[in-house]
Amino acid sequence: MVTASPQRRWQAQCPNCGAPVEFASAASASAVCSFCRSTLLRERHALRRIGTTSEVFEDYSPLQLGAAGRYAGTGFVVVGRLQMSYADGGWNEWHILFDAGAERPPRSGWLAEDNGSFVISFEAPLDGPVPDPATLRPGGLQMLAGSAWQVASIEDATGAAAEGALAHPPHRATSYPVVALPTAAH
């Protein structure tokens, strides 16, 4: 089983209910208390409650918190989940933490379920402004970070629920565009 190094894990009491809340690594900036559903923001060695999240909808996903896997030869463990909703349904975005070893900090990413397939993505800085979603069309090409990507879909999505440790606090009750760019165009 893949686990984060012990010095990276951090546990504290929920400031709302007192239950234990665990942050899997320094890559986890927020977490959801599994008892009272408080969304907690980690600020150094203190927690700040910034709201609550709905309970996750049981969707019988084959993935669960604590599940482990391998990608490109490196092990990872699932440490958090965002459930997203849009007009035609919803999907899961799983926060994953890669085994880093002692020489480097852990790397995190996202594992999404997409029509029976699994897609891993990583956050990366853009070398220019974020494209205006109104200018994008499914099937069209978009240049990002020096590469051409094909726009697969554009959905207006909302964070519906969350659980576990997350890279960022969940954005609830705010609708925003989600653009799927699954493969680079050649």
Side-chain angles (χ1 to χ4, degrees):
M1 178 178 208
V2 179
T3 59
S5 59
Q7 70 271 16
R8 298 280 182 207
R9 289 190 175 281
W10 185 68
Q11 190 176 52
Q13 291 182 321
C14 173
N16 188 54
C17 72
V21 177
E22 186 171 291
F23 289 78
S25 81
S28 301
S30 69
V32 175
C33 176
S34 61
F35 292 90
C36 71
R37 311 296 308 152
S38 289
T39 301
L40 307 171
L41 183 62
R42 180 177 170 178
E43 297 172 325
R44 302 192 132 248
H45 294 292
L47 292 180
R48 181 168 55 101
R49 183 175 184 265
I50 59 172
T52 58
T53 185
S54 301
E55 204 165 316
V56 296
F57 172 74
E58 179 53 64
D59 56 6
Y60 304 101
S61 170
L63 296 174
Q64 298 298 317
L65 294 181
R70 295 190 76 71
Y71 173 75
T74 304
F76 66 84
V77 65
V78 176
V79 297
R81 169 168 57 166
L82 291 174
Q83 280 189 328
M84 304 297 294
S85 65
Y86 68 107
D88 293 329
W91 74 91
N92 290 309
E93 296 274 343
W94 298 90
H95 183 217
I96 56 177
L97 183 64
F98 286 85
D99 186 21
E103 71 281 356
R104 56 191 156 89
R107 179 180 187 196
S108 72
W110 294 93
L111 175 59
E113 298 169 75
D114 184 15
N115 295 318
S117 297
F118 295 102
V119 177
I120 291 182
S121 61
F122 301 97
E123 293 181 16
L126 291 176
D127 58 359
V130 174
D132 179 357
T135 66
L136 303 176
R137 299 287 176 258
L141 295 179
Q142 177 64 47
M143 292 298 293
L144 293 170
S147 296
W149 296 85
Q150 187 166 17
V151 177
S153 65
I154 304 168
E155 301 293 345
D156 228 14
T158 304
E163 67 178 335
L166 303 168
H168 308 285
H171 298 287
R172 290 200 61 241
T174 302
S175 179
Y176 53 93
V178 175
V179 180
L181 304 163
T183 57
H186 297 288

